[in-house]
Amino acid sequence: MNYIETAIKGVYIIEPKVFNDQRGYFFEAWKQSEFNENVGSVNFVQDNESKSSYGVLRGLHYQKGEFSQAKLVRVVKGKVLDVAVDLRKSSPTFGKYVMVELSDENKRQFFIPRGFAHGFLVLSEEAVFTYKVDNVYAPQSEASIRWDDPTIGIEWPIDSKDVLTSEKDLKKAFAFEDADYFE
């Protein structure tokens, strides 16, 4: 696998080596020893999967405090734009974001360490999104930032009227300036 550190330290795009032939393809999606060597030691404890349709925007989510999560995300069907927003106050990239296209065609993965808000927008008719996390979900520690927050200024490639998000995200998401940050 090829591990590419993004413009934000600690956030990686991971490109697998895909072996194609007349039968289809094969690739290693995860290898603990290689991940540890290139990114660092992360103990993933749970795998999650979601299915969404075109225009669905999930995020920008994170968990606070002791329940913060690192994530390794990928798309097994379809195409999304995936975003990580740096919420680490001491970081030189605090408030900045990294965006990457993930699809069943490019087979890329995106590693987001603790201290980030995360979200994705579905660009295909349908997308199946899977991710590993290094901490369990704790509803009392969940938080979200508005996907259209002007301070962050994410340039989503579809018209805002076509974005579908949850009622919870609409009502409970904070502006970036009111969010809980990480030290």
Side-chain angles (χ1 to χ4, degrees), residues 144-156:
S144 60
I145 296 171
R146 289 192 53 87
W147 63 270
D148 58 352
D149 183 89
T151 302
I152 300 170
I154 298 172
E155 296 182 26
W156 300 105

Side-chain angles (χ1 to χ4, degrees), residues 159-171:
D159 193 297
S160 62
K161 70 176 175 39
D162 295 326
V163 170
L164 302 169
T165 191
S166 73
E167 191 65 28
K168 181 172 80 171
D169 281 350
L170 289 174
K171 291 182 177 179

Side-chain angles (χ1 to χ4, degrees), residues 8-178:
I8 298 181
K9 187 169 179 55
V11 179
Y12 287 83
I13 297 168
I14 303 167
E15 297 177 333
K17 293 177 182 149
V18 181
F19 301 94
N20 293 291
D21 65 21
Q22 70 277 9
R23 300 168 296 164
Y25 68 83
F26 169 85
F27 70 94
E28 290 180 347
W30 168 251
K31 192 172 187 179
Q32 181 78 53
S33 60
E34 195 173 293
F35 187 89
N36 290 355
E37 182 181 318
N38 288 278
V39 175
S41 181
V42 177
N43 181 33
F44 292 113
V45 298
Q46 184 174 320
D47 282 6
N48 300 315
E49 183 173 295
S50 68
K51 178 181 169 186
S52 306
S53 57
Y54 175 81
V56 168
L57 198 150
R58 295 183 186 260
L60 301 164
H61 301 145
Y62 63 103
Q63 289 196 169
K64 304 176 283 187
E66 66 181 292
F67 292 103
S68 65
Q69 294 177 323
K71 297 178 180 177
L72 179 61
V73 304
R74 71 185 183 112
V75 170
V76 294
K77 178 182 180 186
K79 178 169 63 170
V80 308
L81 275 182
D82 203 272
V83 175
V85 179
D86 193 346
L87 299 180
R88 304 168 298 175
K89 285 195 304 191
S90 61
S91 170
T93 53
F94 174 68
K96 305 290 185 208
Y97 70 92
V98 175
M99 180 183 285
V100 63
E101 182 180 293
L102 304 176
S103 72
D104 57 357
E105 289 185 13
N106 69 26
K107 297 178 182 25
R108 287 177 165 172
Q109 297 181 65
F110 195 38
F111 175 70
I112 304 148
R114 291 181 180 202
F116 285 77
H118 170 252
F120 66 91
L121 171 67
V122 178
L123 299 177
S124 53
E125 184 177 323
E126 180 178 271
V128 177
F129 186 88
T130 183
Y131 56 105
K132 296 178 173 305
V133 293
D134 74 337
N135 207 348
V136 295
Y137 172 67
Q140 72 278 11
S141 294
E142 75 176 343
S144 60
I145 296 171
R146 289 192 53 87
W147 63 270
D148 58 352
D149 183 89
T151 302
I152 300 170
I154 298 172
E155 296 182 26
W156 300 105
I158 68 171
D159 193 297
S160 62
K161 70 176 175 39
D162 295 326
V163 170
L164 302 169
T165 191
S166 73
E167 191 65 28
K168 181 172 80 171
D169 281 350
L170 289 174
K171 291 182 177 179
K172 293 190 176 183
F174 291 102
F176 178 76
E177 61 203 24
D178 298 324

